Amino acid sequence: MSDKITYLAQGSRVGIRYFTYEDAGEYTALARESRSLHAPWLFPPTDPDAYATYAGRLMEDPARYGFLVRTREDDRIAGFININNVVQGAFLSGALGYGAFAHAAGRGLMGEGLDLVTRYAFARLGLHRLEANIQPGNVASIALVRRAGYRLEGFSPDFLFIDGAWRDHERWAITAEMVEPR
């Protein structure tokens, strides 16, 4: 692990930290290399200007948190997990968005990262519930949240406008009480 990285939380193979503008070069290169993995589910920014806009929203909007999942062995970005639409008050909830980069896919790194973000959201951000809305055909994403202990709560037809059409989504969620102590 590089001395320059300070993690918000870390596991045996990955650590999480917030997005920075300095991550643009590495992030966008990995997003370009991972286009075939991401399509048609998500479209992360692939150029510096788009990254600056995207990261800026995550860093400046109090209703969003953006986390980079980095491998501890080589300090490389493995993926990203965002908590969007954070609502305080009686709701204390947020909606997840995430993606692995091709070099990290299928290695269990995002599972470890999702566990770190989930625990961080409950313990440090004070949230009570996280929700992931996933297109039914995205079996890898569904497997990720299922392994992480999220439960299927329902089906939302025409839920999000993605890749030119309104897409159906399954709703998966977890609450603080569902997370086992370490």
Side-chain angles (χ1 to χ4, degrees):
M1 181 180 80
S2 169
D3 291 335
K4 69 177 181 162
I5 300 299
T6 302
Y7 295 117
L8 299 166
Q10 59 187 324
S12 62
R13 297 182 302 150
V14 301
I16 58 169
R17 69 170 174 80
Y18 292 126
F19 275 69
T20 70
Y21 289 116
E22 291 77 23
D23 296 308
E26 181 184 6
Y27 184 100
T28 56
L30 291 168
R32 287 189 301 273
E33 292 170 9
S34 303
R35 280 184 177 135
S36 63
L37 175 67
H38 294 151
W41 317 115
L42 69 150
F43 302 90
T46 57
D47 68 71
D49 289 339
Y51 176 86
T53 300
Y54 174 72
R57 283 194 303 260
L58 292 169
M59 292 185 286
E60 297 167 17
D61 183 344
R64 297 177 190 224
Y65 296 89
F67 300 91
L68 293 175
V69 178
R70 297 188 74 101
T71 59
R72 294 183 62 208
E73 68 181 356
D74 60 6
D75 197 31
R76 193 169 183 201
I77 299 172
F80 55 93
I81 302 172
N82 303 330
I83 305 175
N84 301 299
N85 305 325
V86 173
V87 179
Q88 299 293 332
F91 200 40
L92 293 176
S93 180
L96 293 180
Y98 51 83
F101 290 121
H103 76 91
R107 296 175 48 200
L109 301 173
M110 288 302 290
E112 188 174 325
L114 180 57
D115 180 65
L116 292 172
V117 169
T118 299
R119 291 174 184 281
Y120 188 86
F122 294 150
R124 300 295 299 267
L125 302 179
L127 297 180
H128 176 258
R129 174 187 167 84
L130 292 173
E131 183 173 301
N133 293 285
I134 305 166
Q135 293 178 60
N138 192 343
V139 290
S141 186
I142 290 170
L144 175 69
V145 296
R146 181 180 282 132
R147 281 191 308 271
Y150 286 61
R151 66 179 170 222
L152 177 62
E153 292 189 336
F155 181 80
S156 300
D158 301 327
F159 184 67
L160 289 173
F161 193 78
I162 298 174
D163 197 25
W166 289 98
R167 308 289 179 180
D168 298 342
H169 282 69
E170 293 181 2
R171 279 188 326 280
W172 291 80
I174 194 168
T175 62
E177 296 82 9
M178 295 168 62
V179 176
E180 297 287 327
R182 288 194 179 171

